[in-house]
Amino acid sequence: MTQYGFFYDASRCTGCRTCELACKDYNNLPVEFSYRHVYEMEGGGWQQDEAGQWTCDTFTYYLSISCQHCDNPACTRACPTGAMHKDENGIVSVDVTKCIGCGYCAMACPYNAPHVSREAGHSMKCDGCKDRVAQGLQPICVESCSGRALFFGPIDELPNTEERAEVAPLPTVDYTQPNLYIKQCPNMRPSGSTEVHLSNLVEVN
């Protein structure tokens, strides 16, 4: 099976959120929900030396994520009907004819990827824009990125697959083996780091 995934170059991302907005527009999503989120991470502060001089060591970085289309997805393990499944290209998708809207997938996913629509009666999530990809196009988030920080395709064709995304605030990769590969920027901190906090929690929840 060919496994598709995302590559994210954090050194090129400006946090503009165009990827997130393009995704919402293309998928006609409600204001309160998005398939892609841009996390804004902050750390550091003011330090005073023995002479009383203050210095600032604050830092920030961005992390644009959607569904990671994991090798061992927590959502498919939690789904009681088999509605959440991996397609032939490794993309995690929802079979809406089987989904009962129980929400177990949303509770299990450490990346906050699935969302249960009470209006539609089933789960919804990023499917890698599979209709666009079938036409030879890139997902809308990738195409819209002005900084060219996002890439998508078979993982053996991505710019770098040596480093899966294991940076704060994401969990360690051992849990689901996500297919998000990353080029880190100097400010990034590892998963579990207490040196950094998520500054836009309300926005990404």
Side-chain angles (χ1 to χ4, degrees):
M1 179 180 73
T2 299
Q3 175 66 58
Y4 278 66
F6 285 99
F7 172 78
Y8 172 65
D9 186 343
S11 68
R12 298 179 66 92
C13 181
T14 63
C16 70
R17 293 167 174 77
T18 303
C19 55
E20 182 178 336
L21 294 174
C23 173
K24 287 174 71 72
D25 182 61
Y26 180 75
N27 290 289
N28 196 29
L29 298 178
V31 172
E32 66 275 8
F33 175 65
S34 179
Y35 291 159
R36 179 168 287 278
H37 300 291
V38 177
Y39 288 5
E40 186 169 339
M41 308 301 297
E42 294 181 352
W46 290 92
Q47 305 293 330
Q48 188 177 29
D49 62 21
E50 294 178 356
Q53 182 176 351
W54 290 88
T55 57
C56 180
D57 63 354
T58 57
F59 65 90
T60 187
Y61 63 85
Y62 303 103
L63 184 62
S64 176
I65 67 167
S66 62
C67 176
Q68 316 301 344
H69 305 293
C70 307
D71 286 343
N72 186 26
C75 59
T76 62
R77 284 180 274 144
C79 180
T81 66
M84 197 69 73
H85 65 284
K86 282 177 75 72
D87 292 335
E88 65 280 355
N89 58 5
I91 296 300
V92 178
S93 297
V94 185
D95 184 340
V96 297
T97 66
K98 295 180 179 179
C99 182
I100 57 175
C102 66
Y104 290 164
C105 57
M107 289 186 280
C109 176
Y111 303 106
N112 197 28
H115 168 77
V116 178
S117 169
R118 295 307 174 193
E119 254 184 46
H122 58 75
S123 287
M124 302 165 60
K125 62 177 293 298
C126 162
D127 63 2
C129 286
K130 59 184 180 183
D131 293 339
R132 287 177 56 86
V133 172
Q135 300 173 50
L137 303 172
Q138 285 285 293
I140 197 67
C141 59
V142 175
E143 184 176 288
S144 68
C145 178
S146 59
R148 298 295 179 260
L150 285 170
F151 301 83
F152 180 81
I155 57 174
D156 57 358
E157 297 178 12
L158 295 177
N160 183 350
T161 54
E162 294 179 5
E163 188 174 7
R164 290 186 194 247
E166 194 164 30
V167 298
L170 304 183
T172 62
V173 299
D174 297 339
Y175 185 49
T176 63
Q177 293 297 307
N179 282 296
L180 171 64
Y181 300 87
I182 191 167
K183 178 182 177 182
Q184 295 194 27
C185 64
N187 289 333
M188 281 189 153
R189 299 298 191 265
S191 295
S193 173
T194 58
E195 296 180 65
V196 66
H197 68 274
L198 178 61
S199 66
N200 62 332
L201 178 62
V202 173
E203 180 184 330
V204 301
N205 271 355

